[in-house]
Amino acid sequence: GAGVSQTPSNKVTEKGKYVELRCDPISGHTALYWYRQSLGQGPEFLIYFQGTGAADDSGLPNDRFFAVRPEGSVSTLKIQRTERGDSAVYLCASSLGTEAFFGQGTRLTVV
Amino acid sequence: DAKTTQPNSMESNEEEPVHLPCNHSTISGTDYIHWYRQLPSQGPEYVIHGLTSNVNNRMASLAIAEDRKSSTLILHRATLRDAAVYYCIPDALNRDDKIIFGKGTRLHILP
């Protein structure tokens, strides 16, 4: 279907490595969100794009985390010098208004 | 942001109605009440939202108290597929343009 697509679905990386997580939103959706979710917790807001610009990045935990959306559609979440505490499911969502549509997430495991 | 209180977990028998409560006593007059749910190993999905009047859609009904300090999500005939974590979220995608998730209610459906 034409839902939000996230790749890869699973990523295992070594501590200290760099990773990129990709989100393909629903075509035409101007708003795009990144969340991360640890086991047993609700999704935690990271960053929100309106078009190409980051409208709110207040949830990014530190400067190792960065996200881009250069053409206002696909977005990439980048994590530098990964730590074991970064292990989580990273969720992407897109929206045109009152309802957000979420992808299946990328499960990141840092070993 | 309006704070919400939901039971940590609830149980219901299959094919029976389920009433999921949410207290949001600090909600402002213009905040809509949104409900999302998250099935196991899935991203969250929108369920329903409302402002003052009770709302119905194909998934559920939303009953909003007259003083708007609480609401109840009603699943009229629960199925095993309704086992999920249900999140009550005031003002989703409105003033702050993002969804802030709490811990939600984990709903168990007994066959």
Side-chain angles (χ1 to χ4, degrees), chain A residues 38-92:
Chain A
S38 302
L39 197 61
Q41 303 294 315
E44 173 193 4
F45 170 77
L46 295 177
I47 186 169
Y48 148 58
F49 288 89
Q50 185 62 254
T52 59
D56 184 347
D57 63 358
S58 61
L60 294 177
N62 52 59
D63 61 6
R64 295 186 298 106
F65 288 74
F66 189 71
V68 295
R69 194 185 185 200
E71 296 177 357
S73 56
V74 171
S75 177
T76 305
L77 179 66
K78 308 180 181 197
I79 311 174
Q80 298 177 323
R81 304 182 304 279
T82 51
E83 300 177 357
R84 292 198 178 87
D86 299 333
S87 297
V89 174
Y90 288 80
L91 294 162
C92 175

Short mmCIF file of all heavy atoms in Angstrom, two decimals, chain A residues 38-92:
data_model
loop_
_atom_site.label_atom_id
_atom_site.label_comp_id
_atom_site.label_asym_id
_atom_site.label_seq_id
_atom_site.Cartn_x
_atom_site.Cartn_y
_atom_site.Cartn_z
N SER A 38 11.40 2.80 23.39
CA SER A 38 12.07 1.74 24.15
C SER A 38 11.02 0.77 24.65
O SER A 38 9.83 1.10 24.75
CB SER A 38 12.85 2.33 25.31
OG SER A 38 13.80 3.26 24.84
N LEU A 39 11.44 -0.43 25.00
CA LEU A 39 10.53 -1.49 25.40
C LEU A 39 9.67 -1.05 26.58
O LEU A 39 10.17 -0.54 27.59
CB LEU A 39 11.34 -2.73 25.78
CG LEU A 39 10.57 -4.04 25.85
CD1 LEU A 39 9.96 -4.37 24.50
CD2 LEU A 39 11.48 -5.16 26.32
N GLY A 40 8.36 -1.20 26.42
CA GLY A 40 7.44 -0.90 27.51
C GLY A 40 7.10 0.56 27.69
O GLY A 40 6.36 0.93 28.60
N GLN A 41 7.64 1.41 26.81
CA GLN A 41 7.39 2.85 26.91
C GLN A 41 6.59 3.33 25.70
O GLN A 41 6.58 2.68 24.64
CB GLN A 41 8.71 3.62 26.96
CG GLN A 41 9.63 3.21 28.10
CD GLN A 41 9.04 3.54 29.45
OE1 GLN A 41 8.51 4.63 29.67
NE2 GLN A 41 9.10 2.60 30.38
N GLY A 42 5.96 4.49 25.84
CA GLY A 42 5.31 5.11 24.70
C GLY A 42 6.35 5.74 23.80
O GLY A 42 7.49 5.98 24.21
N PRO A 43 6.00 6.02 22.55
CA PRO A 43 6.94 6.69 21.64
C PRO A 43 7.38 8.04 22.18
O PRO A 43 6.56 8.81 22.71
CB PRO A 43 6.13 6.84 20.35
CG PRO A 43 5.09 5.77 20.42
CD PRO A 43 4.74 5.67 21.86
N GLU A 44 8.66 8.34 22.04
CA GLU A 44 9.26 9.58 22.52
C GLU A 44 9.56 10.47 21.32
O GLU A 44 10.28 10.05 20.40
CB GLU A 44 10.54 9.25 23.29
CG GLU A 44 11.37 10.44 23.72
CD GLU A 44 12.76 10.03 24.18
OE1 GLU A 44 13.10 8.83 24.07
OE2 GLU A 44 13.51 10.91 24.64
N PHE A 45 9.04 11.69 21.32
CA PHE A 45 9.23 12.62 20.21
C PHE A 45 10.69 13.00 20.06
O PHE A 45 11.38 13.29 21.04
CB PHE A 45 8.39 13.87 20.44
CG PHE A 45 8.69 14.99 19.49
CD1 PHE A 45 8.20 14.96 18.19
CD2 PHE A 45 9.46 16.07 19.89
CE1 PHE A 45 8.47 16.01 17.31
CE2 PHE A 45 9.73 17.11 19.02
CZ PHE A 45 9.25 17.08 17.73
N LEU A 46 11.16 13.02 18.81
CA LEU A 46 12.53 13.45 18.52
C LEU A 46 12.55 14.76 17.74
O LEU A 46 13.12 15.75 18.17
CB LEU A 46 13.28 12.37 17.72
CG LEU A 46 13.53 11.04 18.41
CD1 LEU A 46 14.21 10.07 17.45
CD2 LEU A 46 14.35 11.22 19.66
N ILE A 47 11.93 14.77 16.56
CA ILE A 47 12.02 15.92 15.67
C ILE A 47 10.83 15.93 14.73
O ILE A 47 10.26 14.86 14.42
CB ILE A 47 13.36 15.89 14.87
CG1 ILE A 47 13.55 17.16 14.04
CG2 ILE A 47 13.43 14.65 13.99
CD1 ILE A 47 14.96 17.29 13.45
N TYR A 48 10.47 17.13 14.27
CA TYR A 48 9.33 17.30 13.38
C TYR A 48 9.72 18.24 12.25
O TYR A 48 10.32 19.29 12.48
CB TYR A 48 8.17 17.84 14.22
CG TYR A 48 7.18 18.76 13.53
CD1 TYR A 48 6.47 18.33 12.41
CD2 TYR A 48 6.92 20.03 14.03
CE1 TYR A 48 5.55 19.16 11.81
CE2 TYR A 48 6.00 20.86 13.42
CZ TYR A 48 5.32 20.43 12.31
OH TYR A 48 4.40 21.26 11.72
N PHE A 49 9.42 17.83 11.02
CA PHE A 49 9.65 18.65 9.83
C PHE A 49 8.32 19.13 9.27
O PHE A 49 7.34 18.39 9.20
CB PHE A 49 10.33 17.81 8.74
CG PHE A 49 11.76 17.48 9.01
CD1 PHE A 49 12.09 16.33 9.71
CD2 PHE A 49 12.78 18.30 8.57
CE1 PHE A 49 13.41 16.00 9.95
CE2 PHE A 49 14.10 17.98 8.81
CZ PHE A 49 14.42 16.83 9.51
N GLN A 50 8.33 20.38 8.84
CA GLN A 50 7.23 20.91 8.03
C GLN A 50 7.90 21.29 6.70
O GLN A 50 8.64 22.26 6.63
CB GLN A 50 6.57 22.11 8.69
CG GLN A 50 5.35 22.62 7.97
CD GLN A 50 4.23 21.59 7.89
OE1 GLN A 50 3.96 21.01 6.85
NE2 GLN A 50 3.57 21.39 9.02
N GLY A 51 7.64 20.48 5.68
CA GLY A 51 8.37 20.68 4.42
C GLY A 51 9.82 20.24 4.59
O GLY A 51 10.10 19.17 5.12
N THR A 52 10.73 21.09 4.17
CA THR A 52 12.16 20.74 4.24
C THR A 52 12.81 21.12 5.56
O THR A 52 13.88 20.61 5.91
CB THR A 52 12.94 21.43 3.10
OG1 THR A 52 12.77 22.85 3.24
CG2 THR A 52 12.43 21.02 1.73
N GLY A 53 12.18 22.02 6.29
CA GLY A 53 12.81 22.54 7.50
C GLY A 53 12.37 21.84 8.76
O GLY A 53 11.22 21.41 8.89
N ALA A 54 13.30 21.75 9.70
CA ALA A 54 12.97 21.17 11.01
C ALA A 54 12.23 22.22 11.84
O ALA A 54 12.83 23.21 12.26
CB ALA A 54 14.24 20.72 11.72
N ALA A 55 10.95 22.00 12.06
CA ALA A 55 10.14 22.96 12.79
C ALA A 55 10.34 22.84 14.29
O ALA A 55 10.14 23.81 15.04
CB ALA A 55 8.67 22.78 12.44
N ASP A 56 10.72 21.66 14.74
CA ASP A 56 10.88 21.42 16.17
C ASP A 56 11.82 20.25 16.35
O ASP A 56 11.46 19.14 15.99
CB ASP A 56 9.52 21.13 16.81
CG ASP A 56 9.59 20.96 18.33
OD1 ASP A 56 10.70 20.83 18.88
OD2 ASP A 56 8.52 20.94 18.96
N ASP A 57 13.03 20.52 16.86
CA ASP A 57 13.98 19.42 17.09
C ASP A 57 14.27 19.28 18.58
O ASP A 57 15.34 18.77 18.97
CB ASP A 57 15.27 19.63 16.30
CG ASP A 57 16.03 20.89 16.72
OD1 ASP A 57 15.53 21.63 17.59
OD2 ASP A 57 17.11 21.14 16.16
N SER A 58 13.33 19.71 19.39
CA SER A 58 13.56 19.75 20.84
C SER A 58 13.71 18.37 21.47
O SER A 58 14.20 18.26 22.59
CB SER A 58 12.40 20.50 21.52
OG SER A 58 11.18 19.83 21.29
N GLY A 59 13.30 17.33 20.77
CA GLY A 59 13.39 15.99 21.33
C GLY A 59 14.68 15.26 21.04
O GLY A 59 14.92 14.19 21.60
N LEU A 60 15.51 15.81 20.18
CA LEU A 60 16.79 15.13 19.89
C LEU A 60 17.62 15.10 21.16
O LEU A 60 17.87 16.15 21.78
CB LEU A 60 17.54 15.86 18.78
CG LEU A 60 16.89 15.84 17.40
CD1 LEU A 60 17.70 16.66 16.41
CD2 LEU A 60 16.70 14.42 16.90
N PRO A 61 18.08 13.92 21.59
CA PRO A 61 18.71 13.81 22.90
C PRO A 61 20.06 14.50 23.01
O PRO A 61 20.43 14.96 24.08
CB PRO A 61 18.84 12.30 23.11
CG PRO A 61 18.72 11.70 21.76
CD PRO A 61 17.91 12.62 20.94
N ASN A 62 20.82 14.57 21.93
CA ASN A 62 22.14 15.21 21.96
C ASN A 62 22.60 15.42 20.53
O ASN A 62 21.89 15.10 19.58
CB ASN A 62 23.13 14.34 22.74
CG ASN A 62 23.16 12.91 22.25
OD1 ASN A 62 23.43 12.66 21.07
ND2 ASN A 62 22.85 11.97 23.13
N ASP A 63 23.80 15.99 20.38
CA ASP A 63 24.26 16.36 19.03
C ASP A 63 24.74 15.16 18.22
O ASP A 63 25.21 15.33 17.09
CB ASP A 63 25.33 17.44 19.10
CG ASP A 63 26.57 17.00 19.87
OD1 ASP A 63 26.64 15.81 20.26
OD2 ASP A 63 27.45 17.84 20.09
N ARG A 64 24.64 13.96 18.75
CA ARG A 64 24.95 12.79 17.91
C ARG A 64 23.81 12.47 16.96
O ARG A 64 23.97 11.72 16.00
CB ARG A 64 25.25 11.57 18.79
CG ARG A 64 26.49 11.71 19.66
CD ARG A 64 26.79 10.40 20.38
NE ARG A 64 25.73 9.99 21.30
CZ ARG A 64 24.88 9.00 21.05
NH1 ARG A 64 24.96 8.30 19.93
NH2 ARG A 64 23.96 8.69 21.95
N PHE A 65 22.63 13.02 17.27
CA PHE A 65 21.44 12.75 16.47
C PHE A 65 21.18 13.94 15.54
O PHE A 65 21.19 15.09 15.97
CB PHE A 65 20.22 12.56 17.38
CG PHE A 65 20.22 11.27 18.15
CD1 PHE A 65 21.06 11.09 19.23
CD2 PHE A 65 19.38 10.24 17.77
CE1 PHE A 65 21.06 9.89 19.94
CE2 PHE A 65 19.36 9.05 18.48
CZ PHE A 65 20.20 8.87 19.55
N PHE A 66 20.90 13.61 14.28
CA PHE A 66 20.62 14.65 13.30
C PHE A 66 19.65 14.08 12.28
O PHE A 66 19.70 12.90 11.98
CB PHE A 66 21.92 15.09 12.62
CG PHE A 66 21.78 16.30 11.76
CD1 PHE A 66 21.59 17.55 12.32
CD2 PHE A 66 21.84 16.20 10.37
CE1 PHE A 66 21.46 18.68 11.53
CE2 PHE A 66 21.70 17.32 9.58
CZ PHE A 66 21.52 18.56 10.16
N ALA A 67 18.77 14.91 11.74
CA ALA A 67 17.83 14.44 10.73
C ALA A 67 17.73 15.46 9.62
O ALA A 67 17.88 16.67 9.85
CB ALA A 67 16.45 14.17 11.32
N VAL A 68 17.51 14.97 8.41
CA VAL A 68 17.36 15.85 7.24
C VAL A 68 16.16 15.43 6.42
O VAL A 68 15.73 14.27 6.46
CB VAL A 68 18.64 15.83 6.36
CG1 VAL A 68 19.82 16.41 7.12
CG2 VAL A 68 18.95 14.42 5.87
N ARG A 69 15.68 16.40 5.64
CA ARG A 69 14.57 16.14 4.72
C ARG A 69 14.75 17.11 3.55
O ARG A 69 13.99 18.04 3.38
CB ARG A 69 13.24 16.36 5.41
CG ARG A 69 12.05 15.79 4.64
CD ARG A 69 10.74 16.15 5.32
NE ARG A 69 9.63 15.51 4.66
CZ ARG A 69 8.37 15.93 4.77
NH1 ARG A 69 8.08 16.97 5.53
NH2 ARG A 69 7.41 15.28 4.15
N PRO A 70 15.78 16.89 2.74
CA PRO A 70 16.25 17.90 1.78
C PRO A 70 15.24 18.31 0.71
O PRO A 70 15.27 19.45 0.25
CB PRO A 70 17.48 17.24 1.15
CG PRO A 70 17.34 15.80 1.43
CD PRO A 70 16.61 15.68 2.72
N GLU A 71 14.36 17.40 0.30
CA GLU A 71 13.42 17.75 -0.76
C GLU A 71 11.99 17.74 -0.27
O GLU A 71 11.06 17.74 -1.08
CB GLU A 71 13.61 16.79 -1.94
CG GLU A 71 15.01 16.92 -2.57
CD GLU A 71 15.22 15.92 -3.70
OE1 GLU A 71 14.32 15.10 -3.96
OE2 GLU A 71 16.30 15.97 -4.31
N GLY A 72 11.81 17.70 1.02
CA GLY A 72 10.47 17.76 1.57
C GLY A 72 9.68 16.48 1.49
O GLY A 72 8.46 16.49 1.72
N SER A 73 10.36 15.38 1.16
CA SER A 73 9.65 14.10 1.17
C SER A 73 10.41 13.11 2.04
O SER A 73 10.19 13.08 3.25
CB SER A 73 9.44 13.57 -0.25
OG SER A 73 10.67 13.45 -0.93
N VAL A 74 11.35 12.37 1.46
CA VAL A 74 12.11 11.37 2.22
C VAL A 74 12.93 12.06 3.31
O VAL A 74 13.48 13.15 3.11
CB VAL A 74 13.05 10.59 1.27
CG1 VAL A 74 14.00 9.70 2.06
CG2 VAL A 74 12.23 9.77 0.29
N SER A 75 13.02 11.40 4.45
CA SER A 75 13.84 11.91 5.55
C SER A 75 14.81 10.83 6.02
O SER A 75 14.52 9.63 5.93
CB SER A 75 12.95 12.34 6.72
OG SER A 75 13.73 12.77 7.82
N THR A 76 15.96 11.29 6.50
CA THR A 76 16.97 10.39 7.04
C THR A 76 17.33 10.83 8.44
O THR A 76 17.63 12.01 8.67
CB THR A 76 18.24 10.38 6.17
OG1 THR A 76 17.89 10.07 4.82
CG2 THR A 76 19.23 9.33 6.68
N LEU A 77 17.27 9.90 9.38
CA LEU A 77 17.72 10.14 10.74
C LEU A 77 19.13 9.57 10.86
O LEU A 77 19.35 8.40 10.51
CB LEU A 77 16.80 9.46 11.75
CG LEU A 77 17.18 9.61 13.24
CD1 LEU A 77 17.07 11.07 13.69
CD2 LEU A 77 16.28 8.72 14.11
N LYS A 78 20.05 10.41 11.29
CA LYS A 78 21.46 10.01 11.34
C LYS A 78 21.92 9.99 12.79
O LYS A 78 21.67 10.95 13.53
CB LYS A 78 22.31 11.00 10.53
CG LYS A 78 21.77 11.22 9.12
CD LYS A 78 22.61 12.20 8.34
CE LYS A 78 22.01 12.39 6.95
NZ LYS A 78 22.97 13.01 6.01
N ILE A 79 22.59 8.93 13.16
CA ILE A 79 23.11 8.81 14.52
C ILE A 79 24.60 8.53 14.43
O ILE A 79 25.03 7.54 13.85
CB ILE A 79 22.41 7.69 15.31
CG1 ILE A 79 20.89 7.81 15.21
CG2 ILE A 79 22.85 7.73 16.78
CD1 ILE A 79 20.13 6.66 15.85
N GLN A 80 25.39 9.41 15.03
CA GLN A 80 26.84 9.26 15.02
C GLN A 80 27.27 8.59 16.33
O GLN A 80 26.62 8.71 17.36
CB GLN A 80 27.51 10.64 14.92
CG GLN A 80 27.18 11.39 13.64
CD GLN A 80 27.82 12.77 13.62
OE1 GLN A 80 27.91 13.45 14.63
NE2 GLN A 80 28.28 13.18 12.45
N ARG A 81 28.41 7.92 16.25
CA ARG A 81 29.05 7.33 17.43
C ARG A 81 28.01 6.63 18.31
O ARG A 81 27.81 6.96 19.48
CB ARG A 81 29.78 8.42 18.24
CG ARG A 81 30.80 9.20 17.42
CD ARG A 81 31.54 10.23 18.26
NE ARG A 81 30.67 11.17 18.93
CZ ARG A 81 30.12 12.24 18.36
NH1 ARG A 81 30.34 12.50 17.08
NH2 ARG A 81 29.36 13.05 19.07
N THR A 82 27.32 5.68 17.73
CA THR A 82 26.22 5.02 18.43
C THR A 82 26.65 4.45 19.76
O THR A 82 27.79 3.98 19.94
CB THR A 82 25.61 3.90 17.57
OG1 THR A 82 26.66 3.04 17.12
CG2 THR A 82 24.85 4.45 16.39
N GLU A 83 25.72 4.48 20.70
CA GLU A 83 25.91 3.92 22.03
C GLU A 83 24.86 2.85 22.28
O GLU A 83 23.81 2.84 21.63
CB GLU A 83 25.79 5.04 23.08
CG GLU A 83 26.80 6.14 22.89
CD GLU A 83 26.60 7.28 23.89
OE1 GLU A 83 25.64 7.23 24.68
OE2 GLU A 83 27.42 8.23 23.86
N ARG A 84 25.13 1.96 23.23
CA ARG A 84 24.18 0.88 23.51
C ARG A 84 22.82 1.45 23.93
O ARG A 84 21.77 0.87 23.62
CB ARG A 84 24.74 -0.07 24.56
CG ARG A 84 25.93 -0.85 24.05
CD ARG A 84 26.24 -2.08 24.87
NE ARG A 84 27.37 -2.79 24.28
CZ ARG A 84 28.65 -2.53 24.56
NH1 ARG A 84 28.96 -1.59 25.43
NH2 ARG A 84 29.61 -3.21 23.96
N GLY A 85 22.82 2.59 24.56
CA GLY A 85 21.57 3.22 24.99
C GLY A 85 20.72 3.75 23.84
O GLY A 85 19.56 4.12 24.05
N ASP A 86 21.29 3.78 22.63
CA ASP A 86 20.52 4.21 21.46
C ASP A 86 19.63 3.09 20.93
O ASP A 86 18.81 3.32 20.04
CB ASP A 86 21.45 4.67 20.33
CG ASP A 86 22.32 5.85 20.74
OD1 ASP A 86 21.90 6.63 21.62
OD2 ASP A 86 23.41 6.00 20.15
N SER A 87 19.82 1.89 21.44
CA SER A 87 19.02 0.75 20.99
C SER A 87 17.54 1.01 21.29
O SER A 87 17.17 1.29 22.44
CB SER A 87 19.47 -0.54 21.68
OG SER A 87 20.80 -0.86 21.33
N ALA A 88 16.72 0.92 20.27
CA ALA A 88 15.29 1.22 20.40
C ALA A 88 14.64 0.98 19.04
O ALA A 88 15.32 0.70 18.06
CB ALA A 88 15.07 2.68 20.81
N VAL A 89 13.32 1.14 19.00
CA VAL A 89 12.62 1.17 17.72
C VAL A 89 12.44 2.63 17.34
O VAL A 89 11.94 3.43 18.15
CB VAL A 89 11.25 0.47 17.81
CG1 VAL A 89 10.48 0.64 16.50
CG2 VAL A 89 11.44 -1.01 18.12
N TYR A 90 12.85 2.99 16.15
CA TYR A 90 12.73 4.35 15.66
C TYR A 90 11.54 4.41 14.70
O TYR A 90 11.51 3.69 13.69
CB TYR A 90 14.02 4.80 15.00
CG TYR A 90 15.11 5.04 16.02
CD1 TYR A 90 15.84 3.96 16.56
CD2 TYR A 90 15.37 6.32 16.53
CE1 TYR A 90 16.80 4.15 17.54
CE2 TYR A 90 16.33 6.52 17.50
CZ TYR A 90 17.04 5.43 18.01
OH TYR A 90 17.98 5.63 18.99
N LEU A 91 10.58 5.25 15.05
CA LEU A 91 9.33 5.35 14.29
C LEU A 91 9.28 6.66 13.53
O LEU A 91 9.71 7.71 14.02
CB LEU A 91 8.13 5.31 15.25
CG LEU A 91 7.91 3.99 16.00
CD1 LEU A 91 7.00 4.23 17.20
CD2 LEU A 91 7.30 2.95 15.08
N CYS A 92 8.73 6.59 12.34
CA CYS A 92 8.52 7.77 11.52
C CYS A 92 7.02 7.89 11.26
O CYS A 92 6.31 6.87 11.14
CB CYS A 92 9.27 7.63 10.21
SG CYS A 92 9.00 8.96 9.02
#
